[in-house]
Structures are given as structure tokens and as C-alpha cells.
Amino acid sequence: MMGPVADPITPSDAAPAPVARVAFPSVQWFEALGQRMHDQRDHFAKIGDMDCTMQLTLYDASPAGQPWRCQVEFEGTDVVDVREVGEGDEERADFVIETDLDTWREMVDNIVANGGRPDLDHTLNRLSLPGVPIRLWGVDPVRRDAYYRFNQSLQHYVNNAAAFGTRWPGDADEAPLPAPDGPAARA
Amino acid sequence: MTATESRVKDLPIILPEPSEATSGEQVEQATEEWVEKFRGYYDQWGTLLQQNLDRLSRGSYSLHWLDTEHTHWGTRVQPSSRGLTAADIDRPKVYGTLPEHTEWRNFAPRGSARDLYKDAMPVIEGYDVLDKSHLWADNVNTLYEEAKVRQWNSTTDIPWSELEPVSEELEKAACQLSTFLTEVEFVAGDFPSRWVWRTAPDFFEVNNFLTTQMVDEARHMEVFRKRAMAGAGGLMHPSPAFEWALKAILESPTHSQGTFLLNVLGEGLVLSIFRAGEFLSKTHVDKEIFRLCMQDEARHVSYGTLEFKAYLDAAADRERALADMHRFADIGEQIILTALSEPALLESVAVLMGGSVAEIDEGMEGVGFLWSTIVEEYLQRCDRAGFSRRDRCTIPLEFPWAA
């Protein structure tokens, strides 16, 4: 759980510090995206406020290979809460995106490889079209449509994965990444 | 006759010479009718004018507007974390309670001391949508705020310089799809405009949202017209099949029926096409266009779904309202199907999905997925509104394509 995202972790006028890898899946990983979102408030304000709660369900991502579920609550240009949830909590989310760990990892790797902008085949919306690996659903079709209404903001939120390293299940607990040259580009 | 009255009655009618560039006789006749009409109202507005001029000539003041007895003076509205929103100013009941039916057919603001002036007010005959049930949706204030902060500019927010050349047949398909979307966006803007000017200002929240829809649709028309031209292709074939569907939307007998046909069914269809645009896009430029349009379109669909629900919930005779809507939907779905089955739409989408004309069959499989999504999401939204069409939908649930 986290409250409203507070001061930036890395003030923008400080020298770039080595970037720690953040474990995935974890609440901290989505909070780290929220911190970058907070740091880019002007950019996200230009795209427009976003008020919705997203749930990500990964079918196979818990240590025991069971589903792992996380809800991210957006308000305006901030992430105000990230929480791990259990089965049956979907009512608290406007929409649910479900996939497996490999699909999510491929998407993030693609975002990183392209400097913060995925190629044409690895956007959230592209991957969640019918018949492709991410399933989109919601208990209420009007609330589910928030995924469409805020899709650009959601994409830019996820694109910030390029701004820090991700430690995937099975990765060695290695040294942090070197400091990036500059802010990640965006889609 | 007072001096003022004489002055008005003696005003010369000065009309410009009819020009060939305008319908001169029509302008002359309309002007004459307008002058006569407002001369006819002189007893009402002329009295006000005379009183005002008399007061000015005496050097005296009225200061009646300082009297707060019939106002809600002292009611403070509080901004929320986002600022002072449309929902915030509707929070005090004295300002935020909408009438189920209004007789205020003028511009006097809801919540003002307007009762004092009721007998002196003009009637705007054009305002003939006077029932909340034909307009309201519980999410309209939220969507209005959202629309204001999520505007974009097709001139500067699309990276036009990154538009990469594709094969001629793919460019033709992209231009054909853009032509279709240009065509449909006209009606999506014109339909709300047809009702905004008929809607009594007591329902300004709805009008405010509908004006954002009009701006959104103008921008969509603009961006797809630009897209057709930006790749050195151009506008392609309009379609009579589209046009009949658009005519049916524009000429819907009531706002709620038209909103069902446009926002729930029609824009739901277009929303799915925009969504599939991520799949169809061969360049980041196209992807950005579709993503931004998708966001706007989803607002319109959300309004339509909850407006339709509110209409049915408020119906005095719900069974009759449902029967009327089913009757309307039976033919409405078939007219929209006429557009949805148009080859200029389906085939251009299939070529974009397949990657070439030679691979159109593969693309049609993707169109089949898209078709199923369109129909299923439409039925979900109908369910949400309390209008089950699952046993009665006249659009084939599966893509009627024999490969």
C-alpha cells in the first residue's frame, strides 16, 4: 500500500544515480512507475487527468506459480494506491487486464529496448485486442471502458518501465544498472 | 404613444440590395419577418426599455439586484482536489437539483432569483426538449470534466513528419478507412448539435458535455481528412450504405433514441474500429491517431450507455418504453448493419489486417474477431442500460463470412 506519491525519489537537479533494479511482480514495481509519473506531472497533465483503478492479474507469477493480482489506483496525474489483492476483489477495479508473466515481460523488454516507446506490436491496447495475449474485462462495461478512455495515460505510465531496471523471477540479485543518459522517450 | 414607442415604430427598414451571392429575396423576407415579430413583442420589451430610459433620465438607480431575498446568497461551493468542478457546483441542492421537467424556456440561470421575473420573460420556442429523462446521464459531469482536460490538437499532437511510406495498396486501404471515418464523424458532431439548441438551459450540464462531443468529432473529422492526404494518397470512396445509417441517426425522432443509435451502437462500433487501429496501424502516426480518437469515443459511448439507462429508469411506463425502443432498435440495427457490411469498410480493414490485397482472406479472419467484439460489447452496454437485446439482436453475432 502507498499513500499519495510524495516528493520525487531523485530530485531532477541531482546528478543521475545508479538505477536499482526493482523486482517484478511486486507492489514496489508499480509504485516505481507511479513515482516516475509523479516526476512527470506536467507531461501527464498535458495528456489529461486519469481517474480509474486498474487490476493486473498474472496467471502464473506468484512464487508458487499461482495467479498474482495487483490493483493500481490513479487519481489525476498520480498513483494514489497500489495494493496486492486476492481473487474476488475485481469489483474494486474498473477493469482487469490478465496475462501471463512471459507476455508481460516481453512487453516490458520491448519498451526498454525501444527507449520507452514500444514498437507497433507491443502496446497495451495492441496486446489486449481480442484473440491476443492480454485479456481485458470488467464487471461493469461502463467502468471497463475507462481502459479505453485513459489508454494513452496508461501506456505512458507503463512506458516508464524503461526508466529503471526490472529484476524478473529467476534473475540473480545483481548490481544496479548504470545511470541512464537521460529521461526515457515516450510513445 | 411614448417617445420610445414612436422611435421604434418609425424606424426605417433598411435592407441591403439583394446580391447574386446570397439568396437575396430570402434574406429580405426573413428580415421582414423578424422585424415584424419583434415589433409585435413591443409591449413587453418596449415597456422595459421605457422604464430603463426614464430611470436614466431621472438620474436615479434601481439597485433591486442587491436584494438577496429570493436568491441562495451565502451558499458557498467548495472546490475538490481537482479544482472547482462541474460536480462541485452541483453539490448544493439549491443549485444542483435538476427538474424532472422544466417550463423555463429562456436563459434565466437555474438557481437565480428568476421567479420574480417569470411573467416578463420571453419564451424561446426553439427550446422544446424539457424533460430530464431525455437527456440526463449520471456520469455527465464527470465526462465533461474529463473531456476538458483530455483535449488534443490534430495539428501538433500527431507526429505527422514520422509518417512512413507503405505499399500503395496499404495506403489506399488506410485512405479508404480514413474516408469512411471522415464521413461518419460528420454525423457524430451534427447529431448533438441538432439537440443542443433545442434543450432548455436548465439542463446545461448535458449541453456542456454535448458541446465537447461536437468538438471531439470535429477534431476526428479533421484528423482523418488530414490522414487521407498526409501520405500522398487522398480521400477515396464515400458510401451510400454509410449515408443511410448516418441519415437514420441524424433523423432519430427523440434525443434518447438517437443517442442509443449514435452513442451506444454507432460509436460503440467506431470505438472498436479505433481500438483495432492499434492492430491496423503500420506507423506510429496511425497508432497515435487511433489511440487519441479511441479515448474521445469512449467518453461518448459511456454517456450514451448511462443516458439510455436513465431514460428507461425514468419512464413512467417502462414496458411501453422498452417496447418502443425494441421496435426502434429492430430497424436501427439493420440500418447500422448496412454500413457495417459495406465492402469499402470491411475490405479496407481486412487489407490493413492482412498486410496486402493478396492476404485479404487472412485479414477477414481478423475482421471476424472485430465483428464479434463489436456485437458483444454492444450487447453488454444494452444489458448495462437494462435493455436486453441478446434474444432479439438483428445483427449477426458471428461474422457472416464464408471463407
Side-chain angles (χ1 to χ4, degrees), chain A residues 46 48-49 51 75-76 117-118 120 123 125-126 128-130 140 144-145 148-153, chain B residues 82 146 149-150 157 162 275 278-279 282 284 287-288 292 294-295 298 302 373 377 380-381 384:
Chain A
K46 181 177 184 305
D49 292 341
D51 298 286
E75 190 177 302
R117 184 166 84 164
L120 297 174
T123 62
N125 186 43
R126 168 70 181 82
S128 60
L129 288 167
D140 175 345
R144 187 271 322 278
D145 286 352
Y148 309 143
R149 280 157 49 195
F150 301 119
N151 193 265
Q152 189 183 32
S153 300
Chain B
R82 207 60 54 79
E146 190 176 307
V149 296
R150 296 188 78 83
D157 290 333
E162 295 179 24
R275 235 196 124 205
E278 292 264 7
F279 187 88
K282 306 305 177 193
H284 282 291
K287 191 176 282 286
E288 193 74 12
L292 290 169
M294 174 178 73
Q295 298 186 138
S302 286
T373 303
E377 291 197 349
Q380 287 176 7
R381 293 182 182 112
R384 180 66 171 80

Side-chain angles (χ1 to χ4, degrees), chain B residues 350-397:
Chain B
V351 167
L352 289 168
M353 284 191 171
S356 67
V357 173
E359 293 167 295
I360 191 171
D361 282 350
E362 291 176 27
M364 288 297 261
E365 291 179 20
V367 173
F369 278 118
L370 178 61
W371 184 289
S372 300
T373 303
I374 288 168
V375 180
E376 175 56 26
E377 291 197 349
Y378 162 63
L379 293 173
Q380 287 176 7
R381 293 182 182 112
C382 287
D383 288 342
R384 180 66 171 80
F387 182 63
S388 179
R389 289 289 293 176
R390 289 189 182 275
D391 296 331
R392 194 162 168 171
C393 181
T394 65
I395 301 175
L397 303 183

Side-chain angles (χ1 to χ4, degrees), chain A residues 31-102:
Chain A
E31 288 177 343
L33 293 181
Q35 186 63 64
R36 298 302 186 283
M37 184 179 181
H38 178 80
D39 294 347
Q40 299 161 346
R41 178 168 283 180
D42 288 347
H43 170 71
F44 278 90
K46 181 177 184 305
I47 300 173
D49 292 341
M50 167 166 62
D51 298 286
C52 64
T53 298
M54 169 182 79
Q55 175 169 324
L56 170 66
T57 298
L58 295 167
Y59 302 127
D60 54 355
S62 78
Q66 296 297 306
W68 183 85
R69 301 175 183 86
C70 178
Q71 292 184 352
V72 183
E73 191 174 334
F74 299 96
E75 190 177 302
T77 56
D78 273 318
V79 170
V80 296
D81 193 22
V82 181
R83 53 189 177 250
E84 198 170 333
V85 296
E87 188 176 8
D89 284 334
E90 289 82 4
E91 175 68 34
R92 297 171 66 192
D94 292 302
F95 55 86
V96 180
I97 50 178
E98 293 181 340
T99 189
D100 55 38
L101 182 61
D102 286 348

Side-chain angles (χ1 to χ4, degrees), chain B residues 148-222:
Chain B
K148 285 190 294 178
V149 296
R150 296 188 78 83
Q151 292 296 302
W152 51 280
N153 184 342
S154 81
T155 301
T156 53
D157 290 333
I158 304 298
W160 294 107
S161 62
E162 295 179 24
L163 188 62
E164 299 153 10
V166 294
S167 69
E168 184 172 304
E169 57 192 27
L170 282 178
E171 186 61 20
K172 283 179 178 173
C175 289
Q176 179 56 55
L177 182 58
S178 295
T179 304
F180 160 72
L181 291 168
T182 302
E183 205 168 1
V184 302
E185 298 296 358
F186 276 122
V187 81
D190 284 1
F191 173 79
S193 75
R194 187 185 158 214
W195 292 94
V196 162
W197 75 273
R198 293 177 56 179
T199 298
D202 266 9
F203 306 114
F204 67 89
E205 291 95 336
V206 176
N207 276 353
N208 284 359
F209 171 72
L210 291 178
T211 53
T212 69
Q213 180 173 331
M214 289 154 65
V215 173
D216 292 343
E217 305 298 6
R219 184 172 55 245
H220 296 180
M221 184 277 292
E222 173 194 355

